[in-house]
């Protein structure tokens, strides 16, 4: 099966610390898309980023940054200077063109302690 | 910007009853997806529709059916409810006509089966 693995089930950090959430994926496709979603305690799923397999450039958006490494099949997510509002479950997911659905990892629960 | 609307937000049913969940996609989006998220689990893909036709099917039980209407809204019909159907049901929408696109999720419907 083409899996998405988020080995870190739960992470706790103290406010203002940096934290990296790991995501490793399997795929047999040459073209694919990877995503990160955030699920805060209120329950909704919030889109954070979409990356296609041909674009390995790292991306930064404010305190968030993503490191996509095709050679190691990883798409890691770093939060710099974490804040209490970052406390949530973060899901990594992949979509294969033509499959029309997202396959999620099991999620990482991040708790930021004030 | 308009988001995906789901109704109802909360639903309580008895075993063996039926339930209908509704989803109104983001305007101009042509594709709707349904996901089920059990307690402490990642979202699992159920079914999707593109331009009112079923596009892809995941782990949707035979007791469930869905359709997309001419105004692009979608309904998920669930019959003979079981305790294990208690979950958060998400609808997502995207604009696929020009190729793969990001799925944006609604706030979810929390179904409790007693």
């Amino acid at each position: 099966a083409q899996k998405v693995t988020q080995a870190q089930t739960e992470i706790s950090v103290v406010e203002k610390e940096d934290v990296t959430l790991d995501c490793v994926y399997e795929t047999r496709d040459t073209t694919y898309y990877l995503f990160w979603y955030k699920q805060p305690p209120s329950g909704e799923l919030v889109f954070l980023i979409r990356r296609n397999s041909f674009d390995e450039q790292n991306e930064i958006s404010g305190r968030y940054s993503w490191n996509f490494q095709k050679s190691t099949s990883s798409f890691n997510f770093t939060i710099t200077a974490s804040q209490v509002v970052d406390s949530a479950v973060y899901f990594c997911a992949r979509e294969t063109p033509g499959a029309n659905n997202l396959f999620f990892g099991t999620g990482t629960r991040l708790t930021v302690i004030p | 910007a308009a988001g995906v609307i789901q109704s109802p937000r909360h639903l309580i049913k008895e075993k063996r009853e039926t339930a209908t969940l509704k989803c109104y996609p983001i305007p101009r989006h042509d594709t709707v997806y349904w996901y089920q998220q059990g307690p402490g689990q990642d979202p699992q893909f159920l079914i999707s529709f593109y331009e009112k036709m079923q596009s892809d099917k995941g782990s949707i039980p035979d007791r469930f059916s869905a359709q997309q209407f001419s105004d692009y809204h979608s309904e998920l019909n669930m019959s003979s409810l079981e305790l294990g159907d208690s979950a958060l049901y998400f609808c997502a929408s995207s604009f696929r006509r020009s190729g793969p696109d990001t799925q944006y999720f609604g706030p979810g419907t929390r179904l409790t089966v007693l």
Side-chain angles (χ1 to χ4, degrees):
Chain A
Q2 300 190 45
K3 293 170 58 175
V4 176
T5 301
Q6 295 181 254
Q8 305 149 307
T9 307
E10 296 192 28
I11 300 176
S12 291
V13 298
V14 177
E15 202 172 19
K16 297 196 177 75
E17 286 184 346
D18 299 347
V19 58
T20 295
L21 310 182
D22 298 333
C23 174
V24 174
Y25 61 92
E26 298 176 8
T27 184
R28 293 185 291 271
D29 301 289
T30 53
T31 302
Y32 51 90
Y33 295 83
L34 299 168
F35 301 79
W36 277 94
Y37 285 85
K38 173 183 179 180
Q39 187 171 40
S42 49
E44 71 271 26
L45 277 168
V46 179
F47 166 74
L48 295 178
I49 189 170
R50 169 176 176 251
R51 175 53 51 89
N52 86 46
S53 52
F54 293 108
D55 181 4
E56 289 196 68
Q57 195 168 21
N58 290 333
E59 182 155 340
I60 297 175
S61 175
R63 295 184 297 108
Y64 294 171
S65 63
W66 290 268
N67 184 346
F68 177 33
Q69 302 251 346
K70 254 175 121 168
S71 60
T72 55
S73 297
S74 65
F75 186 39
N76 297 337
F77 173 32
T78 297
I79 302 174
T80 304
S82 58
Q83 300 176 2
V84 172
V85 293
D86 297 327
S87 296
V89 179
Y90 291 86
F91 289 100
C92 180
R94 67 157 177 80
E95 178 191 278
T96 303
N100 294 349
N101 59 273
L102 290 175
F103 186 87
F104 287 85
T106 50
T108 297
R109 180 177 298 278
L110 173 66
T111 303
V112 181
I113 304 164
Chain B
V4 177
I5 297 172
Q6 290 187 247
S7 67
R9 295 291 308 278
H10 301 272
L11 191 58
I12 300 175
K13 291 286 185 178
E14 300 276 343
K15 272 171 49 176
R16 293 181 286 279
E17 285 191 323
T18 61
T20 297
L21 309 186
K22 296 187 178 183
C23 169
Y24 297 86
I26 292 171
R28 295 186 63 241
H29 279 192
D30 52 21
T31 307
V32 167
Y33 312 78
W34 287 97
Y35 292 82
Q36 177 192 59
Q37 185 180 27
Q41 298 181 358
D42 53 285
Q44 297 287 320
F45 171 70
L46 294 178
I47 195 167
S48 63
F49 294 87
Y50 170 65
E51 283 293 344
K52 293 152 279 184
M53 300 284 288
Q54 183 179 307
S55 173
D56 199 17
K57 203 169 181 180
S59 50
I60 184 169
D62 292 340
R63 299 177 289 106
F64 294 6
S65 64
Q67 57 182 323
Q68 186 179 30
F69 294 86
S70 57
D71 63 352
Y72 292 95
H73 94 273
S74 178
E75 295 183 4
L76 177 65
N77 299 294
M78 311 159 72
S79 62
S80 302
L81 287 169
E82 302 173 356
L83 296 179
D85 296 329
S86 296
L88 192 52
Y89 289 84
F90 285 106
C91 172
S93 73
S94 72
F95 181 69
R96 295 196 73 88
R97 196 166 301 142
S98 57
D101 190 32
T102 298
Q103 295 182 31
Y104 293 93
F105 284 77
T109 294
R110 187 169 297 280
L111 172 66
T112 302
V113 181
L114 302 175

